[in-house]
Amino acid sequence: MTQDAAVATAKDSKKDTGLDAAEQTALDADIAVLQQGSRTWSALTVAQRITLLKSLRTSVSATIEDWANTASDSKGLRPGHPLRGEEWLSGPYSVLGALDAYADTLSKLSQGRSALDGLSIGRAPGGRTKVDAFPLTGIDSFLLSGFTGEVWLQPGITPDTARSAAGLGQLTPAASGGVGLVLGAGNITSIPVLDVMYELLAHNRVALLKVNPTQDSLVPVYERALAPLIEPGFLRIVRGGPAVGAYLTGHPDLVHVHITGSAATFDTIVWGPSRGPKAGATTRRKRENRPLLKKPITAELGGVSPIIIVPGEWTDADITFQAEHVATMRLQNCGHNCIAGQVVILSSDWSQAEQFRAALRRAYAGAPERPIWYPGSPSRLHQAAEDYPDALVLADRLLVEVGEGQDAAALETTEYFAPVLGVVELPGLGQEFLDTAVEHANEKLQGTLGGNLIIDPATEKALGSGFERAIAELRYGSIAINAWTAVGFITPTLTWGAFPGSTLDDVGSGIGVVHNALLLDGVERSIVRGPFRPFPRSLPVVNGGGRWTILPTPPWFVSARTAADVSEGLTRFRARGGILGLAKTLLQALRA
């Protein structure tokens, strides 16, 4: 398209888009560059793509300090705030880990090997194939000792099929995936970058990334970090609000859309606005199954995440630690996370239930205060206070303890995306409680993105195969056992996305997966397993058969006193190595 033609087209469509001619011309020019970049990408061998990933790793490593500090500042975390470490781990640390994992996968493929060569592949309940996907390196085995991760594939996929299909787009590198649109998340700074990388490596699709306005301050950092993708035309980054998003989702030269956001935004893109003068047309389209969007779309959309507490015989230290664990699941990033734990499911027959409730109140109230920064979250916090006027107001956060006969529907179906945590009780002990809690989470809670479960080693052992059967029944795309699903998010060789089965007209927590650095096909879910007790109580003499770990309070806990220094140190080590720096970081971790 010539520039004159582009201007004419933009003028003709100004009425529909709300953009002026210059804005549309600039967007069209970016798409034209990406179309050429798509052809360039298709001409690269897998070995050349490895070289590109190494160059990208260098450029990302050069930006880590600016990245973390800019993100912290944008969220109102002043210098010296104890929670600034969150922005190191959920930003550059996550991206560097993904680059390393993708490079390893592509190295195997370039040598004619399976992407799963050297990995353990076994069986999960229901005849499923599972891939032991974490840890895969000695340093991860050491730093995250006690944590493991596995990917379960959909029923019917055999180990041989898994091996032959692993690699996705990199099995046919010359096959172009065209140019796609990535609508970036506004809450976690690594998400837009990880989504772009997955588009490129899983689908051979170059990307136009539209950042969420909350991330505008990160654009200069992204442009420096991702320069090796931008310069050859594999990526373009644009800012803008809903008008830019609407123009791009409807653009004929963009063949695919990926969004991380809300189900309401997804429905607006696919079907049209649900309010205003066009709402009637949207309703008719949905009823007649005539989507407004004429191209494929994938999405990660969040939900209401459960935290199932399986009753057992816990020590006072266990109760304190796990209460801080639960508080972290809600309060990290001020609750502005798609998998922030929202509903704690307790046993009403557990003799220690009230002791745990008291510990949870203390941990929830005692976490460091921080701004509620995400747009719309204050109103959702206010909505929760109206839904539950008897809720405990603890500092800048809400704790809803649903009493007998009280309606938990609002808590269980509204993703508040704010510091709102609820507690509900169900009857039973042992397997009876676990099965009831799993059914409750599956049937009552909105969404299928992430579910968490905490169980002591003795109780897990006593349940035997019944425990694994219950996990198989829990319909979530990411499941964390004695961990938080965010550990799965930052583990690149695991997958991230809703449980399969969502559709355009009932999207739930989304469609498709991302991350997935092993490039597995036919994924059903990923499972993280962690230690019930931290160091030094993880030592075998006191652990009761649980997993051993060197971690005291993990650096992602909001109660970890040295989290900021440890998270920064781990990211610097991931970027540049250095045993002395790592040793210093580990000493700081022991003070957490």
Side-chain angles (χ1 to χ4, degrees):
M1 179 184 294
T2 67
Q3 184 170 343
D4 289 343
V7 171
T9 301
K11 286 180 178 178
D12 290 342
S13 56
K14 179 180 177 182
K15 181 179 177 180
D16 295 328
T17 67
L19 301 179
D20 62 31
E23 290 175 303
Q24 291 190 29
T25 299
L27 293 172
D28 290 341
D30 282 333
I31 294 170
V33 170
L34 290 167
Q35 288 179 312
Q36 178 58 49
S38 177
R39 292 187 284 272
T40 304
W41 178 258
S42 297
L44 296 183
T45 65
V46 173
Q48 288 172 321
R49 296 173 184 188
I50 297 169
T51 301
L52 179 65
L53 290 177
K54 292 178 180 178
S55 177
L56 193 58
R57 192 189 196 286
T58 299
S59 61
V60 169
S61 296
T63 67
I64 59 173
E65 188 166 354
D66 284 348
W67 186 326
N69 288 336
T70 301
S72 296
D73 293 344
S74 73
K75 297 181 180 183
L77 298 175
R78 65 188 183 278
H81 194 287
L83 298 180
R84 283 175 75 96
E86 294 178 357
E87 300 310 314
W88 288 86
L89 289 182
S90 65
Y93 179 91
S94 297
V95 171
L96 288 167
L99 287 168
D100 290 341
Y102 279 125
D104 183 67
T105 293
L106 266 63
S107 293
K108 292 179 181 178
L109 294 172
S110 70
Q111 298 164 12
R113 301 155 59 201
S114 167
L116 302 186
D117 196 19
L119 276 66
S120 175
I121 302 177
R123 288 293 188 180
R128 295 171 172 87
T129 293
K130 73 165 183 173
V131 178
D132 291 332
F134 183 84
L136 300 181
T137 67
I139 194 65
D140 283 339
S141 297
F142 175 66
L143 293 178
L144 288 173
S145 55
F147 289 86
T148 59
E150 57 209 51
V151 180
W152 291 13
L153 304 182
Q154 295 175 21
I157 297 177
T158 67
D160 286 344
T161 300
R163 289 188 185 92
S164 62
L168 297 179
Q170 299 314 296
L171 297 176
T172 54
S176 173
V179 183
L181 171 66
V182 173
L183 298 173
N187 59 333
I188 297 294
T189 62
S190 65
I191 292 177
V193 180
L194 294 173
D195 290 349
V196 164
M197 289 165 55
Y198 194 65
E199 287 287 287
L200 198 59
L201 295 169
H203 305 296
N204 287 323
R205 196 155 46 227
V206 302
L208 178 64
L209 167 63
K210 191 196 88 64
V211 297
N212 188 290
T214 63
Q215 305 284 2
D216 278 353
S217 62
L218 265 293
V219 169
V221 178
Y222 288 154
E223 288 175 338
R224 285 188 287 125
L226 304 178
L229 297 181
I230 295 171
E231 290 166 1
F234 304 149
L235 172 66
R236 282 294 181 270
I237 303 173
V238 299
R239 296 177 172 94
V244 171
Y247 178 71
L248 294 175
T249 55
H251 200 289
D253 293 331
L254 296 176
V255 301
H256 181 272
V257 176
H258 177 78
I259 176 175
T260 299
S262 69
T265 302
F266 177 93
D267 283 344
T268 298
I269 292 170
V270 173
W271 302 103
S274 60
R275 297 179 181 178
K278 297 182 179 180
T282 299
T283 300
R284 286 192 299 274
R285 272 193 297 271
K286 202 165 187 179
R287 183 175 61 246
E288 297 167 4
N289 194 27
R290 294 186 295 105
L292 185 67
L293 186 72
K294 304 301 183 184
K295 62 194 69 172
I297 183 170
T298 52
E300 189 263 273
L301 306 174
V304 176
S305 295
I307 309 168
I308 298 172
I309 310 293
V310 182
E313 294 184 14
W314 294 12
T315 66
D316 291 347
D318 292 337
I319 287 177
T320 298
F321 177 79
Q322 295 299 348
E324 293 176 359
H325 198 178
V326 171
T328 294
M329 295 181 196
R330 179 74 259 182
L331 295 179
Q332 201 271 356
N333 199 28
C334 202
H336 309 323
N337 287 330
C338 52
I339 38 78
Q342 183 165 305
V343 177
V344 179
I345 303 177
L346 279 181
S347 166
S348 57
D349 297 319
W350 186 28
S351 61
Q352 295 178 290
E354 186 51 46
Q355 185 183 358
F356 183 80
R357 282 177 177 269
L360 181 57
R361 294 182 200 116
R362 288 193 298 271
Y364 197 64
E369 293 190 34
R370 60 172 299 161
I372 299 174
W373 64 271
Y374 199 83
S377 289
S379 64
R380 286 187 288 272
L381 184 65
H382 179 71
Q383 177 189 340
E386 289 188 340
D387 292 338
Y388 298 98
D390 296 331
L392 294 174
V393 180
L394 304 171
D396 57 350
R397 56 208 65 149
L398 220 61
L399 180 62
V400 181
E401 299 189 48
V402 179
E404 185 176 354
Q406 192 174 7
D407 188 2
L411 177 71
E412 295 179 333
T413 59
T414 306
E415 184 186 7
Y416 289 113
F417 216 69
V420 178
L421 180 67
V423 182
V424 301
E425 286 193 343
L426 299 175
L429 297 169
Q431 191 71 51
E432 177 191 5
F433 169 79
L434 179 56
D435 291 343
T436 300
V438 166
E439 181 181 11
H440 186 90
N442 285 342
E443 302 300 327
K444 299 293 186 180
L445 273 60
Q446 185 272 328
T448 64
L449 183 63
N452 311 275
L453 189 146
I454 298 174
I455 184 170
D456 66 271
T459 301
E460 181 177 349
K461 183 178 180 181
L463 294 180
S465 61
F467 177 74
E468 290 298 312
R469 176 182 53 77
I471 295 302
E473 292 295 322
L474 193 57
R475 296 194 299 270
Y476 287 85
S478 180
I479 297 173
I481 302 163
N482 292 331
W484 178 29
T485 46
V487 179
F489 172 89
I490 67 171
T491 302
T493 47
L494 298 180
T495 59
W496 191 251
F499 194 82
S502 298
T503 59
L504 290 182
D505 60 343
D506 185 13
V507 71
S509 288
I511 298 171
V513 299
V514 289
H515 304 187
N516 187 25
L518 297 175
L519 299 177
L520 295 164
D521 195 19
V523 170
E524 182 183 68
R525 70 184 91 188
S526 286
I527 297 179
V528 176
R529 302 175 193 259
F532 178 74
R533 297 184 174 97
F535 181 85
R537 293 189 302 112
S538 64
L539 294 171
V541 292
V542 293
N543 199 16
R547 292 170 170 238
W548 183 84
T549 182
I550 66 167
L551 286 175
T553 303
W556 53 87
F557 271 41
V558 293
S559 55
R561 293 179 298 173
T562 60
D565 290 337
V566 172
S567 299
E568 178 180 345
L570 289 174
T571 307
R572 292 189 184 280
F573 175 77
R574 172 70 77 175
R576 304 186 184 104
I579 296 300
L580 290 179
L582 179 60
K584 180 181 177 182
T585 298
L586 294 178
L587 288 175
Q588 290 171 321
L590 291 174
R591 296 175 45 239

